[in-house]
Amino acid sequence: MAKNTILLVSLMVAVAFVASATVSMAAPIVIKFSHVVAENTPKGQMANKFKELVDQRLAGKVEVEVFPNSQLFGDNKVLEAMLLGDVQLAAPSLSKFKKYTKSLQIYDLPFLFKNMDAVEKFQQGPVGQKLLMATKSKGLIGLGYLHNGLKQLSASDPLRVPTDAAGKKFRIMSSDVLAAQFEAVGAMPLKKPFSEVFTLLQTKAIDGQENTWSNIYSKKFFEVQPYITESNHGVLDYLVITSTAFWTGLPDDIRTEVKKALDEAITFGNIVAAQKATDDRQKIIDSKRSTIIELTDAERQQWVKAMKPVWKQFEKEIGKDYIDAAIQANN
Ligand code: LMR
């Protein structure tokens, strides 16, 4: 080989070596996943499963950091933080998107879905899928839904009929529909962050709140709320969300793998949600700290009658065709 050729080959090898070293030394893409609930909840478990799958499949390329229990951001700040690039993934309750879209308010309409199968059917149907993109114009996109479950009413006094709630203060998520729902029974709704609920209940600054069995159990609300009415009056599910800028900025192959891991983690989280709806309810019964009130059909009908007019109030903002599609999902 001529001297020049040897020199050229050596140079090429050196360049290739430096290039590969640069690639392997490139810092991994960091995905901060911020949420407000305990780790032992559907969302907490889903987030941890997502991290586990990404660790297995994209080691060195993508690193997931999970921040539970409002450690990084509360739900009132997380979406702003996402738009600033300070967090990449979150799964706020569908009740917390008021600033970004009115359409998702549909999920807060009381007594709209008869059970979680109907919720799943609606979410996977054309309207539910379209709603994943409801916040797109604001720079945020939904990557999927995650279940938690149906909400119950906890309180310091027994609530059997709507008049029992009149004059009482209830903590709600930041949703005008939920405010209207409590106003419909003469109660006083207060929008407060999830992280404050336990203390508000413990100090009796408020009388009650609405939440799922897993949230009532994992955040110990049942220890400071002697009564829980099994009302199943609404749904608390999540939109797994990211910023368009982050998502479209990912290399195609990485985005595909991350989405796959996310879908699998959501499937896992949904199984956890279904289990916890029964297990955590039972744990609360076993604790004997709180009495569960089961409503008769006639009592439940009174709640339906009092709260259902809220649908009409929000029909224009949400869209009648969307509400009709949700009603259809009950069949
Ligand atoms: C709440 O604020 O009550 C819930 O949205 C918390 C959660 O994320 O489940």
Side-chain angles (χ1 to χ4, degrees):
M1 230 187 276
K3 234 186 184 173
N4 276 356
T5 316
I6 293 175
L7 204 67
L8 190 66
V9 170
S10 321
L11 203 67
M12 281 163 66
V13 169
V15 167
F17 178 76
V18 170
S20 79
T22 311
V23 168
S24 65
M25 273 162 44
I29 297 163
V30 174
I31 300 182
K32 290 188 185 169
F33 188 158
S34 170
H35 69 81
V36 299
V37 290
E39 287 188 272
N40 192 20
T41 56
K43 185 160 53 183
Q45 297 281 301
M46 173 277 207
N48 291 351
K49 171 63 83 182
F50 172 64
K51 177 178 167 52
E52 183 188 312
L53 295 174
V54 170
D55 280 353
Q56 274 167 19
R57 299 173 187 171
L58 293 165
K61 294 184 186 161
V62 180
E63 205 174 289
V64 177
E65 296 173 3
V66 180
F67 299 89
N69 293 311
S70 314
Q71 265 167 28
L72 192 60
F73 294 108
D75 280 337
N76 51 340
K77 282 272 173 297
V78 75
L79 298 177
E80 285 167 36
M82 188 169 274
L83 289 170
L84 293 171
D86 293 337
V87 59
Q88 287 69 40
L89 213 53
S93 147
L94 289 159
S95 315
K96 294 177 178 171
F97 287 90
K98 190 185 85 178
K99 272 205 231 157
Y100 300 86
T101 173
K102 300 272 186 228
S103 315
L104 289 174
Q105 295 184 117
I106 190 168
Y107 289 104
D108 287 335
L109 295 178
F111 299 104
L112 178 60
F113 297 104
K114 74 171 184 207
N115 53 33
M116 290 308 290
D117 287 345
V119 174
E120 170 72 14
K121 195 167 155 194
F122 175 73
Q123 288 175 347
Q124 299 312 322
V127 176
Q129 290 299 297
K130 195 170 160 197
L131 286 173
L132 287 176
M133 290 296 147
T135 57
K136 196 169 173 218
S137 65
K138 301 281 180 353
L140 298 168
I141 48 175
L143 299 174
Y145 292 103
L146 173 70
H147 296 317
N148 186 326
L150 296 176
K151 290 181 291 186
Q152 319 303 335
L153 286 170
S154 77
S156 42
D157 293 303
L159 305 177
R160 284 211 157 270
V161 289
T163 47
D164 294 335
K168 293 200 159 47
K169 289 187 195 135
F170 287 86
R171 176 269 173 172
I172 54 163
M173 297 179 273
S174 54
S175 153
D176 292 343
V177 178
L178 298 180
Q181 167 196 275
F182 278 102
E183 279 158 7
V185 295
M188 285 179 274
L190 285 133
K191 291 176 183 165
K192 294 283 178 191
F194 187 58
S195 55
E196 291 177 24
V197 182
F198 180 85
T199 307
L200 288 168
L201 295 172
Q202 190 185 36
T203 58
K204 303 208 182 321
I206 55 171
D207 303 292
Q209 62 89 46
E210 53 165 17
N211 232 306
T212 59
W213 291 115
S214 93
N215 281 348
I216 294 172
Y217 179 72
S218 60
K219 287 292 175 191
K220 303 192 191 312
F221 299 162
F222 71 100
E223 293 185 0
V224 288
Q225 291 275 266
Y227 299 97
I228 304 172
T229 300
E230 188 162 33
S231 50
N232 290 320
H233 63 281
V235 62
L236 197 167
D237 266 14
Y238 306 112
L239 186 64
V240 182
I241 197 146
T242 188
S243 79
T244 318
F246 171 73
W247 194 244
T248 54
L250 288 175
D252 287 352
D253 55 333
I254 300 272
R255 191 188 314 109
T256 306
E257 277 300 317
V258 169
K259 180 67 166 60
K260 204 164 147 247
L262 200 57
D263 289 344
E264 287 177 39
I266 288 174
T267 303
F268 174 76
N270 286 344
I271 294 168
V272 174
Q275 272 165 3
K276 288 206 167 284
T278 43
D279 293 359
D280 289 352
R281 176 184 181 277
Q282 190 56 46
K283 284 182 192 157
I284 292 170
I285 295 174
D286 295 345
S287 78
K288 299 193 168 46
R289 301 287 292 265
S290 190
T291 303
I292 294 181
I293 299 171
E294 291 178 35
L295 298 175
T296 63
D297 284 349
E299 286 166 344
R300 193 163 191 277
Q301 262 328 105
Q302 288 195 46
W303 290 94
V304 175
K305 194 165 166 237
M307 289 179 165
K308 221 171 145 178
V310 168
W311 293 20
K312 262 266 161 296
Q313 228 175 301
F314 289 87
E315 191 180 273
K316 266 217 183 79
E317 283 182 18
I318 295 169
K320 188 171 179 323
D321 46 340
Y322 285 12
I323 298 175
D324 288 343
I327 295 168
Q328 278 301 314
N330 287 316
N331 299 327

